[in-house]
Amino acid sequence: HTNGNKFRERSLDDVFAELDHLLSKYNIEYLNLADELFSPRFVRAKAFCERMEPYKLPWYADFRIDRVNEELLGMLKKAGCDTMFFGLESADNRILKSMMKHLTIEQIEKGLETATASGIQVYGCFIFGDKDETVETAHNTLKWWRDHPQYNIHLTLMKPFPGTYIYNYAVKEGIIKDPHQYLRDGCPQ
């Protein structure tokens, strides 16, 4: 629900009708599912994987690291998923709590280890600049990142999008002085 306050989910019939249409018109060799979060519900993920398998088309999607398990990974791999992206945000539990990720670094480590062992390519992202970020918390994340190069974790800066808690905080605290200009400028970091 990136636009508006209501979560809208397309039916799988609609998704696969679009996929069939695109495959009939174009020489598609790879599918990138531009979904904020691919598998919030296991039943839907399973149904998608069952329908995707006959296409023999490699694909990519975004996932929550705490939802990773061997059963899901087996289904994904069989269905052609070859790359998983995880929004990890931080390797410091204080920042994960501040960001309201409902995750711990221990869950991140377990999930990355499990996903990597499946043979599916894994990558993710750490974000710096949370309202509670300190030199110490940033150092903790950078140390973890350096110690775990096998996970292909990228580093970036916080980008407060309208409607998010960090955006509201930045406006309230005067960090974003002119919300209209901020939008006109493309929501800079």
Side-chain angles (χ1 to χ4, degrees):
H1 52 258
T2 55
N3 294 316
N5 295 321
K6 184 176 178 184
F7 175 75
R8 295 177 308 276
E9 181 176 87
R10 292 176 64 187
S11 74
L12 289 182
D13 287 342
D14 185 50
V15 170
F16 281 94
E18 181 179 353
L19 179 58
D20 289 338
H21 170 74
L22 293 171
L23 288 169
S24 73
K25 286 191 78 161
Y26 306 103
N27 183 27
I28 295 174
E29 297 176 3
Y30 195 87
L31 181 64
N32 179 357
L33 297 176
D35 194 335
E36 190 174 292
L37 183 61
F38 172 75
S39 63
R41 291 182 299 122
F42 185 82
V43 172
R44 181 175 168 87
K46 182 177 181 181
F48 178 88
C49 287
E50 288 170 351
R51 291 182 71 168
M52 190 66 198
E53 189 178 340
Y55 287 87
K56 305 292 184 214
L57 184 66
W59 54 281
Y60 152 99
D62 295 353
F63 297 83
R64 269 193 67 94
I65 196 71
D66 59 340
R67 303 273 170 92
V68 169
N69 61 55
E70 290 179 11
E71 184 180 6
L72 175 65
L73 292 164
M75 290 184 328
L76 293 171
K77 190 157 179 84
K78 191 174 178 186
C81 179
D82 72 351
T83 307
M84 300 176 79
F85 174 82
F86 300 102
L88 305 172
E89 320 318 18
S90 179
D92 187 285
N93 284 330
R94 292 167 290 185
I95 300 306
L96 290 168
K97 184 175 182 178
S98 174
M99 289 181 167
M100 296 179 273
K101 284 297 287 184
H102 307 288
L103 283 177
T104 65
I105 187 59
E106 294 79 15
Q107 288 173 298
I108 289 171
E109 289 172 343
K110 181 179 182 218
L112 288 171
E113 185 178 314
T114 304
T116 300
S118 76
I120 297 174
Q121 182 178 341
V122 170
Y123 76 101
C125 184
F126 286 141
I127 298 174
F128 295 91
D130 181 72
K131 64 183 183 59
D132 290 340
E133 190 86 69
T134 66
V135 171
E136 178 189 2
T137 61
H139 175 76
N140 291 343
T141 296
L142 287 170
K143 180 181 181 334
W144 190 96
W145 175 75
R146 281 189 302 271
D147 291 345
H148 298 86
Q150 71 272 27
Y151 294 131
N152 302 310
I153 308 299
H154 303 276
L155 307 175
T156 191
L157 296 173
M158 179 73 70
K159 190 169 189 176
F161 288 108
T164 63
Y165 87 95
I166 198 71
Y167 172 84
N168 294 335
Y169 173 83
V171 170
K172 179 181 169 199
E173 296 298 316
I175 298 165
I176 295 175
K177 296 182 185 351
D178 182 343
H180 298 290
Q181 187 60 46
Y182 180 76
L183 288 172
R184 283 191 291 275
D185 292 342
C187 302
Q189 293 174 323

